Amino acid sequence: MATRADTAHGKNVHMSSRQRPVLVYDGDCAFCTTCVRVLERIGSDAEIVAWQFTDLAELRITAEQATDAVQWVQTDGAVHSGHEAIAAVLNTAGGIWKIIGRMILLPGISWMAANVYRLVADNRSRLPGSTPACARSPVRDQRPGAHDLRNARASARARRGP
């Protein structure tokens, strides 16, 4: 991606060098790779790349973001993660997939989709087709608040008792 100065307006305007949006996934995870193959078969109009084989700085995402969730980078540089990224890639496929992509973002469904995405992402090493690389990495476990949330849940269970 490149930037240029817009001399007519005296502003910096972000210009993308990409012609299509990009879905970035974890190429070391067999579960993620299997899901991407399904997205490719349904005919998504997006570039789909493993984060390990792309220039993350160019896409303006970090390795931490890429290992935590799939990332959708629009041609204008806007980034969406997790269930929003899945909805976006489905929107580019057209037909029923576009309808499903839009439904994922509906109020009332979006929060549920976000929670289901996180549940799957956090447990992908237990799903069919997973490999040891699907297990949570130290980077994933260092998400802001992740440790605090686990401690809060453990404390709540301890207070409830067996």
Side-chain angles (χ1 to χ4, degrees):
M1 294 186 191
T3 58
R4 69 171 173 83
D6 184 353
T7 56
H9 300 289
K11 299 179 192 175
N12 284 333
V13 176
H14 180 73
M15 300 294 289
S16 173
S17 61
R18 295 199 181 261
Q19 301 299 313
R20 297 181 348 178
V22 180
L23 181 74
V24 180
Y25 71 99
D26 187 349
D28 286 338
C29 175
F31 178 76
C32 297
T33 302
T34 300
C35 292
V36 162
R37 297 300 165 247
V38 170
L39 290 171
E40 290 173 339
R41 278 196 299 273
I42 67 171
S44 167
D45 184 23
E47 182 180 346
I48 301 176
V49 297
W51 74 264
Q52 294 88 347
F53 301 107
T54 194
D55 184 351
L56 295 178
E58 177 188 351
L59 295 172
R60 297 190 175 169
I61 58 176
T62 66
E64 183 177 1
Q65 289 170 307
T67 58
D68 185 53
V70 292
Q71 304 292 313
W72 177 258
V73 183
Q74 295 177 183
T75 56
D76 66 1
V79 177
H80 301 278
S81 298
H83 78 290
E84 291 178 347
I86 298 300
V89 74
L90 291 174
N91 274 326
T92 69
I96 188 72
W97 301 110
K98 187 171 191 163
I99 294 168
I100 293 169
R102 289 185 178 184
M103 288 177 60
I104 288 171
L105 299 177
L106 288 174
I109 295 176
S110 184
W111 72 268
M112 186 171 47
N115 287 320
V116 168
Y117 180 90
R118 183 48 44 205
L119 180 68
V120 171
D122 288 348
N123 292 286
R124 64 188 180 160
S125 64
R126 297 179 183 142
L127 297 172
S130 67
T131 64
C134 299
R136 295 185 63 80
S137 72
V139 171
R140 283 190 201 99
D141 287 335
Q142 293 172 7
R143 286 191 321 256
H147 183 70
D148 296 338
L149 182 59
R150 283 192 302 276
N151 287 341
R153 288 179 181 156
S155 296
R157 282 193 299 273
R159 284 192 301 272
R160 282 194 309 264

